[in-house]
Each structure stands twice: as C-alpha cells, then as structure tokens.
Amino acid sequence: MTLYIGSSVKRVEDLRFLTGKGRYIDDIYFPNMLYMAVLRSNYAWAKFKIDPKRVEERGFSVITFEDTKEFSPLPNFFVSDPKRVPKEYILAKDEAKYFGEPIGLVIGRDRYEVYDALELIDVDYEPREPITDPFKAIGPNSPTLHKELGSNIVYSDIFEYGEEPNDYNYIEKKIRYNRILPAPLETNGVIAEFDKISGNLTIYANTQVPQVFKTALGIIFNIPRSKVRIIVPDTGGGFGGKIFLKPIAMTALASIITGRPVKYIETRYEHIISAIHGPDRHYTAKILYKGDELVGAIIDLVEDFGAYLHTYQPLPILRQIYQLVGPYKMKYLKFRVSGVVTNKPPTGAYRGLGIPPAVLVLENLVKSVSKVSGIDEMELRMKNFIDKLPYEHITGAVYDSGNYREALKKLVSQLEVKDKDKYTGIGIAFALEPGSSLAFQTLVVNKPRTPYYEGVYMRMDSGGDVTVFLSTNTMGTGHETSISQVVADVLGIPIDDVKVILGDTAGPPGTGFYGSRFSVVGISAVYTAALKLKEKMREYLAKMFNVEKDEVKIDNGIVKISNKSFSIKEAVNMIYNRSYLIGNEIGLDVSVTINSYNVNIADDKRRVNFSTTYGVNAHGVVIKVDKDTGFIKILKYVVLSDCGTMINPMIVDGQLMGGTTMGIGASLLEKVEYDENGIPKQTSFADYWIPSAEEVPTFEIQHMISPSPFTPLGTKGVAEGGATVPPAAIINALEDILKKPIDRIEIPITPEYVLQLINDMS
C-alpha cells in the first residue's frame, strides 16, 4: 500500500479545473435571479444626495442608506472599546469617506443593464478636501474624519518586553511600506438568497472565512446564526482579499429587500479602487547593539487604516510583534503604534497578515549593523541566532523546532556568484512563519476568546469510501489532495476512495482559511478524525468476532483478527451488513473539533504565544542594477524552507513559488498610491503592475525538515512563507551594492529610487 503522507501525489482537484469543470461563483445561477451593481463615490470625502428617479422609472430598484436603517454597522471583532471603532455601514450614510465607497445599489434583471443604469443615477456631491497623509491626520489642525470619535487616531498602544539596556549603539531608519493589492485571479463574488417565509439567509461566496462571516451577518441583520448558511464554491485565489465582508453584506441586503436571489461579481476596477488593500505603514525603526550582540529594537509605527477598521484590524499590526525580534536572542523590544484613519479604502489581512513589513524592518537593520560595525554578516547572525528549541522569547512566542544556523549555512552555500561587479549584490533575509491561530488577539480584547478551532466530520460508507467534511475552504491550494492523502494514509485505502467536501457552514465548526493554519489545525483535525474512525472500526470488529480490541489489527488496508485477514472494504461491509453481531449503533462516522495546539492568552505583561508553530523561511537573492535605468534584475533566487513534515512536497513547492512571486511583486512593482484629491492613480493592470514571467526568475528551493513537537504530524505553516521575505532580501542585496546602510527605505523599490541611491553613492 502506498504511503501517501510525504508523497508528491498529483492534485486530485486539478482534473476538473484543467477540463473547465470547476464550479466558481459566477458559474452558479438560480431561477428568478437578479443582478447588482454598486454605485460608488466619485470623491474621497464628500456629502452626497442620490436622486434615483431616472433609474427607477426604467424598472430598476435602487437601495440607499435609508433602506438600511434597521440594520447594524459592520462588526469589528477585535477592538475592545466599540467607541473607538469608526462606524462603517453597509452603504455610506450621507457622507462618503473614500473614493469608491459604496453609496447605493442598483438591482435589475441583467448584469450589463445594471452597470449601464449606474450612469443614469443623479448624485449631488459636496466635496471636501480629503485627508491623505496620516501624519497630517494626527496634526493639530487636521479635520476629524469621524466626528463622533474626536480624533483620527483610532488605535494606539505600546508594547514593551524586557528591560531597556543602559549602554548600546544603535542604527535608526525610516521605512515606508506602501499599500498593495491582493489581486487574486478571481475577484470577490456573492450570490445571496433570503427566504422571507423561513427567515433563512443562504449565501454563496468565495470568502476565506465562512464561519466568521456567518456570525457577522447574523449581527448585522439580526438573524439567528442557525438561519445563516454560507457555501464556498471553487475559488480563484484569496491572499486576504477574500476576507472582505462588504460585498457579502451588500448582496445579502439586496436579497433581503427584493426577496429574490441576487448576484454580485466585483469588477477588476472595483477591486483595485475599493477592495481590501495590504498594509500602509510608516516605520521609524531603531536596532540596539553592543559589539557583535543584537540587544533589542525600538519601533514606532504609524499605520494608515484608511477610512474604517477592517473586520480583522488591528490584528495585522499585532501579528508582527514576535517578528520584530525574530530568530535572534534579543532581550528588549519596545513597539509603539498609532493607527490612523484617512480618506482611503480600508487595509486588511493581506498575505502574511502584517508580517512582510516587519521582516523587512528587522532583517535590514541586522544587515546594516554588519555594515556599520564591520562584522561579517554571517558571523553576526550565527552569533545571535537562537540555538536551542523549543524557545520562549521575550514576547511570549514559543518557537517550536528548527536549526536556524544550519538553515542559513545551507542557503548561503547556494549563493556564490562568479564575476561579481560593483552593480551586483547579494541579499539574505530570515523569517519565522507562524502557523495557525489568532492567539495574539487577546492583546486587544478585554474578554479573552480563543476561536482557533477547526472541525471535521468523517464518514465511511458500506463500500469503504470515505467522505470528509470541513467548513473551511480552499483557494486553489490543494487542500482536497492533502486531506485525501492523510485519510488514505491512516486508513490504508486508495486515495481515490476519499471524497472531500469543503466550505459549507452547515458542516462542522471552524474559523476559516487564513494565517498558514490549514496544515497546522485543519490537517491535524483530519488526522485525528481518521485515527478515531479507525479505532471505531476496531471496536465494532472486536464485538463482531467476540475478541478483545487489541486483537484487531488494521494496517496498510488489511484487517487481521486472529488468523483471519480481510480488506478494509470487506470489513466495513461486514460492519454494516452483519449488524446483529454488533448492536444497534453501527455507523462508521466521527466528529472531531480541535483547538490550535500550544496557544494561550496574554498574561499581565502582555506576553502571548502568537501561534502553534514557527516555520523557517530563509531567502537569498542575487541582483544586478542597471546603472542607467535603475531597473533591478534578479539573477538568482534561492528559498530555504523548513515547514516541518510535508504532506505533499509538490504542493509545498507550488506555495513557495507563488508566494515568492507575490513577494517580488511587492518588492519591485506593486503599489497603490493617491493624488492630493484622494483619487487612486492605479485603476487597472495597465498601471498596477504585477510580476509576469519576465520579472520572475527560476526559483531554487531547498528544504530542511524539523517536525514540530506541537502538532500530531509535525506539520507547520507554509503558505505565507514565500511572500514575507523578498522585500527584505532584495533591499539587503541593494544595500550590498551600495556598501552602506540605506537610511530611508521605500517599498516597492522603484527605478527612480534606485537611481537616486546610486547617484548618492557616486
């Protein structure tokens, strides 16, 4: 029998995708279905009045804020004091606060007609000068975006771990990390169907967090949670951009009001101007050192939230805390945060959930210490790496497994360059990827909550086939294959005998697909359920043959009882069809729900274990700068990953390639910026650049395997690892060329910025 765990099995879901048989949100139709288009503000800050008469005369329905008065604002689950959260309604109330904010909905029978109808709606605007600079937003003369809050600072905090040393040297930098887009292949899409008779609200949506948004919809519309169901079909990418409640809430509203199924598919233009953006950050960062010892860091962050707090804010801020000390034995961290609202779209849980900028901050500062002190970079890192794991850091993070020194040695051994000239540079960066959970939410929530769980229902029928149900879903990430591999391996059955059903809140409890948690919590739940099913089979067979359970052996798909042997299929058929030998209960079905392992809540010093596992992601890059144009060409890119036990190495490599490609895009190309009127300069892929095959090198991927002691299979997270490290590695390679620290860093690294640095060098 094949051992499936650890094998590069071809993905079981690919046949339907490659033959055009995938079922995405826009493939789903219902009789009597209506279509929705969103009327969006043409100004970044303006009062408005809508006159829908011309559109309604043509038979369209128009929904405005007046139709939503009985419903609640969009919830934020992670800020303790609701008085500090700007109220964001399904549709703007009298005043739009960013360009593209939804101010009305148009409903009709044809998708193209409803978009044409948008042009017929008369909107009278009274524009104001927008707030686009977060530093001006917190200045003494700035107007207040949300008057009821009295300030544009909506979140502020200080985190301090350890004791500040008395004597140290330091390097200080300004680091600007611009907002970027998730830009998945498939935009947000929703179908909502509200049944006025039963009160049931059924949603089809390509969301990443169906169970979380099931709760949110119940809160908004005052519907019992039991009457809300979210079903997630095949989905073309997420990257945090599908953790977006607004499209779902708007479509649900339209169905509740019209009493008919309503479909909404976000256009690419809408995604760029008004979907969830990646973090928009301004750091002042200082690293403290004594000789060759990295002592600590003092980090000040001004975070531009946009006009409102996304459902998951400020978690992307908090998740980076452990990474600001990273894999080094630093004894002190002070992290000050000011979260500011401006007239831009909200930022949220972009891939890496806030970590990529933190990796950039720490890893570039470490590089700069080497340059300033004259200490060899490898020697500096090796001296300061944590060398014994598990290790509890000053932040409370418990690093589980790995060998940081060996990982770095293996990475650097692949980075030798022949004929290196003055415009060729080598950069390395090292990051720890947290796998699973939102334990760090207890840093901001007064009432400790631990929604880190994931559930599985598993059933084996009389023919020996197994069906696995999870409410979590997949975004093209091969989850069906990985689940099938684990079940087939544990039970000793062919992988084709496993069927996986994902993404339905009518299934088991869970909290969704995000934060590199699937291989840590989801797969662990599947593995636990498969073992439980196997034990249940042994119990039934022991009763049937009147032997002790220990005498029933199941191995590699063969059941052995005394001197008798059966295949799994034969044994299961006997269980179902000779039930008189067992008793009344004969079903081979199990239910398992597990918490994330080894997580906790913050203590009185605000120390918390942020995650179950911490995988290793070490990247090395060789770049060449064109001294005339400032363009950076990547000559070589090496990824060293330690994600513990790999269920499917081929899928792991695919995740690393895709993530690293996104990280390169963030490093060199992708940027959402605004003019002085708060109007986005990027509105399509013609001016928002994502990397093509020409910009992306062939990746060299290396693996080390140190199973986590905290998960039953030794698995860790991997999906975010590629995306978190490239900005740090590439800026370090640029600093290698310049032969000195860069005082002001800006991501993405544009050709103009590079030319300026080169000119300063000469």
Side-chain angles (χ1 to χ4, degrees):
M1 177 63 66
T2 302
L3 293 176
Y4 288 107
I5 294 176
S7 299
S8 291
V9 176
K10 289 184 178 180
R11 300 195 339 164
V12 300
E13 54 267 74
D14 282 355
L15 181 61
R16 73 173 185 271
F17 295 147
L18 295 173
T19 57
K21 300 298 183 182
R23 189 170 184 256
Y24 295 87
I25 190 70
D26 208 16
D27 295 320
I28 301 172
Y29 294 88
F30 290 100
N32 210 29
M33 187 167 69
L34 300 173
Y35 293 86
M36 183 180 85
V38 181
L39 179 65
R40 298 179 181 275
S41 173
N42 287 331
Y43 293 89
W45 196 3
K47 290 187 176 181
F48 63 88
K49 290 184 180 179
I50 298 173
D51 183 357
K53 184 177 180 181
R54 284 199 299 162
V55 174
E56 291 176 337
E57 286 175 348
R58 288 166 170 78
F60 296 94
S61 298
V62 178
I63 298 173
T64 65
F65 175 79
E66 292 300 312
D67 301 299
T68 72
K69 286 182 177 179
E70 63 183 287
F71 303 128
S72 299
L74 274 60
N76 178 290
F77 295 119
F78 303 108
V79 176
S80 298
D81 184 0
K83 295 178 181 178
R84 300 305 308 156
V85 179
K87 289 184 179 179
E88 181 181 12
Y89 295 93
I90 303 173
L91 298 171
K93 178 185 178 183
D94 302 326
E95 188 175 71
K97 291 183 168 64
Y98 62 88
F99 180 89
E101 181 173 7
I103 61 176
L105 307 175
V106 179
I107 317 297
R109 292 172 295 180
D110 180 87
R111 176 184 297 175
Y112 301 100
E113 287 181 354
V114 292
Y115 275 95
D116 290 341
L118 289 177
E119 305 296 325
L120 301 176
I121 297 180
D122 295 315
V123 184
D124 182 23
Y125 290 101
E126 295 180 25
R128 297 185 59 179
E129 182 179 350
I131 307 168
T132 58
D133 184 332
F135 292 97
K136 291 182 179 178
I138 57 181
N141 299 317
S142 175
T144 304
L145 190 59
H146 300 275
K147 291 182 179 179
E148 68 276 13
L149 300 182
S151 171
N152 291 323
I153 298 178
V154 294
Y155 174 72
S156 61
D157 213 334
I158 300 176
F159 300 90
E160 191 165 15
Y161 302 99
E163 294 185 6
E164 184 174 359
N166 296 321
D167 180 34
Y168 55 79
N169 297 311
Y170 69 88
I171 296 172
E172 185 173 330
K173 299 192 178 202
K174 300 287 187 181
I175 298 175
R176 172 76 173 102
Y177 205 100
N178 284 280
R179 59 173 60 204
I180 55 180
L181 294 172
L185 187 64
E186 179 196 35
T187 58
N188 286 279
V190 188
I191 299 172
E193 184 176 23
F194 181 69
D195 186 330
K196 291 188 176 181
I197 303 300
S198 65
N200 291 327
L201 175 62
T202 303
I203 302 288
Y204 292 80
N206 51 17
T207 177
Q208 293 175 237
V209 286
Q211 290 283 11
V212 175
F213 283 174
K214 174 178 179 173
T215 299
L217 292 174
I219 293 171
I220 294 169
F221 297 111
N222 194 26
I223 297 173
R225 196 175 186 275
S226 60
K227 290 183 175 293
V228 180
R229 181 183 182 188
I230 298 180
I231 301 167
V232 184
D234 289 328
T235 302
F239 318 125
K242 300 286 174 66
I243 305 177
F244 190 15
L245 180 57
K246 195 94 164 184
I248 299 174
M250 290 190 298
T251 315
L253 170 68
S255 182
I256 289 170
I257 289 176
T258 63
R260 290 170 60 177
V262 177
K263 175 185 278 192
Y264 168 64
I265 304 295
E266 179 185 72
T267 67
R268 184 61 62 182
Y269 170 75
E270 288 178 298
H271 176 81
I272 292 175
I273 67 164
S274 58
I276 293 303
H277 292 164
D280 191 345
R281 293 181 175 171
H282 300 259
Y283 290 95
T284 301
K286 183 187 294 185
I287 190 166
L288 319 179
Y289 66 98
K290 294 180 181 179
D292 62 358
E293 181 185 3
L294 302 176
V295 177
I298 300 174
I299 312 293
D300 288 276
L301 170 63
V302 174
E303 179 100 353
D304 186 341
F305 283 137
Y308 304 97
L309 263 68
H310 175 269
T311 309
Y312 271 63
Q313 288 288 15
L315 296 193
I317 291 175
L318 304 176
R319 195 175 187 236
Q320 67 179 319
I321 290 174
Y322 84 91
Q323 185 59 60
L324 295 173
V325 290
Y328 307 105
K329 294 178 285 191
M330 297 166 72
K331 297 296 189 291
Y332 180 69
L333 172 66
K334 189 171 188 178
F335 180 43
R336 293 180 288 236
V337 182
S338 295
V340 184
V341 286
T342 61
N343 291 110
K344 300 173 190 172
T347 59
Y350 175 79
R351 191 170 192 172
L353 197 62
I355 290 178
V359 175
L360 169 69
V361 168
L362 177 62
E363 289 298 288
N364 178 250
L365 286 170
V366 171
K367 170 81 172 183
S368 295
V369 169
S370 170
K371 287 293 182 187
V372 170
S373 66
I375 301 169
D376 178 77
E377 184 178 354
M378 277 286 286
E379 181 183 334
L380 179 68
R381 290 176 181 274
M382 294 295 186
K383 160 79 174 179
N384 289 278
F385 270 153
I386 294 164
D387 53 5
K388 291 183 180 180
L389 297 170
Y391 180 90
E392 184 174 353
H393 218 308
I394 56 172
T395 62
V398 180
Y399 301 159
D400 54 329
S401 65
N403 189 322
Y404 304 158
R405 290 174 176 170
E406 287 302 313
L408 189 60
K409 287 178 184 177
K410 188 172 182 179
L411 174 78
V412 172
S413 69
Q414 305 298 313
L415 290 174
E416 293 183 7
V417 180
K418 295 181 180 179
D419 303 321
K420 181 183 176 185
D421 63 22
K422 65 182 294 188
Y423 293 105
T424 303
I426 299 175
I428 58 176
F430 203 99
L432 301 178
E433 176 174 7
S436 156
S437 95
L438 300 176
F440 47 94
Q441 71 170 282
T442 63
L443 293 169
V444 288
V445 178
N446 287 336
K447 296 179 180 178
R449 305 155 62 234
T450 55
Y452 322 136
Y453 51 83
E454 205 64 48
V456 173
Y457 297 159
M458 190 175 295
R459 181 180 67 227
M460 179 177 270
D461 65 25
S462 61
D465 292 339
V466 177
T467 305
V468 186
F469 301 85
L470 287 87
S471 65
T472 188
N473 51 295
T474 179
M475 297 274 153
T477 42
H479 288 181
E480 291 175 47
T481 302
S482 300
I483 291 167
S484 298
Q485 286 181 252
V486 170
V487 174
D489 197 283
V490 171
L491 298 178
I493 61 177
I495 196 170
D496 292 339
D497 290 351
V498 182
K499 180 182 180 182
V500 179
I501 298 175
L502 300 172
D504 189 339
T505 59
T511 56
F513 172 49
Y514 56 86
S516 295
R517 72 189 305 270
F518 172 74
S519 59
V520 176
V521 190
I523 279 293
S524 295
V526 170
Y527 178 68
T528 304
L531 290 175
K532 191 174 180 180
L533 185 66
K534 188 175 181 178
E535 289 306 297
K536 195 169 190 179
M537 192 185 310
R538 291 179 64 216
E539 289 174 9
Y540 286 161
L541 290 169
K543 288 181 181 179
M544 180 180 293
F545 286 89
N546 195 28
V547 298
E548 294 296 324
K549 181 179 170 183
D550 290 345
E551 296 181 50
V552 180
K553 310 294 184 185
I554 302 176
D555 190 37
N556 289 328
I558 302 298
V559 178
K560 294 182 179 180
I561 306 171
S562 299
N563 60 348
K564 301 180 180 67
S565 294
F566 313 95
S567 70
I568 285 278
K569 288 181 179 291
E570 290 172 323
V572 171
N573 188 269
M574 285 191 289
I575 289 171
Y576 275 98
N577 292 299
R578 299 184 188 178
S579 59
Y580 63 89
L581 296 173
I582 301 174
N584 293 327
E585 184 185 342
I586 61 167
L588 284 172
D589 54 278
V590 297
S591 172
V592 167
T593 301
I594 64 168
N595 274 319
S596 293
Y597 304 98
N598 202 42
V599 298
N600 52 16
I601 61 174
D603 63 18
D604 57 358
K605 294 182 179 179
R606 309 187 80 183
R607 301 171 73 256
V608 63
N609 186 24
F610 294 72
S611 186
T612 298
T613 65
Y614 297 83
V616 171
N617 295 292
H619 287 211
V621 62
V622 181
I623 67 169
K624 187 174 181 64
V625 171
D626 187 311
K627 62 182 178 61
D628 297 317
T629 65
F631 276 92
I632 290 175
K633 182 176 179 60
I634 297 175
L635 303 179
K636 188 172 189 176
Y637 205 105
V638 182
V639 177
L640 186 286
S641 170
D642 181 351
C643 61
T645 302
M646 292 185 283
I647 303 300
N648 188 315
M650 180 183 67
I651 291 177
V652 169
D653 285 354
Q655 287 287 320
L656 292 170
M657 292 176 192
T660 306
T661 297
M662 288 189 73
I664 289 172
S667 304
L668 301 176
L669 300 169
E670 299 181 47
K671 182 180 183 181
V672 180
E673 55 187 336
Y674 293 82
D675 65 17
E676 66 278 5
N677 296 312
I679 309 300
K681 296 181 179 180
Q682 291 77 26
T683 57
S684 72
F685 282 155
D687 39 35
Y688 183 86
W689 299 343
I690 57 176
S692 69
E694 187 174 348
E695 289 81 32
V696 178
T698 299
F699 299 116
E700 299 178 25
I701 298 177
Q702 307 285 328
H703 291 286
M704 292 178 63
I705 298 175
S706 60
S708 174
F710 301 137
T711 57
L713 283 170
T715 50
K716 306 179 190 179
V718 73
E720 297 171 346
T724 57
V725 193
I730 294 173
I731 202 72
N732 284 355
L734 184 58
E735 198 165 281
D736 187 49
I737 293 171
L738 298 173
K739 309 299 181 189
K740 64 178 183 179
I742 303 171
D743 295 331
R744 292 181 177 271
I745 292 173
E746 181 153 353
I747 301 295
I749 308 164
T750 63
E752 295 81 6
Y753 173 70
V754 173
L755 285 176
Q756 180 183 339
L757 292 173
I758 290 176
N759 291 335
D760 292 344
M761 179 178 72
S762 58

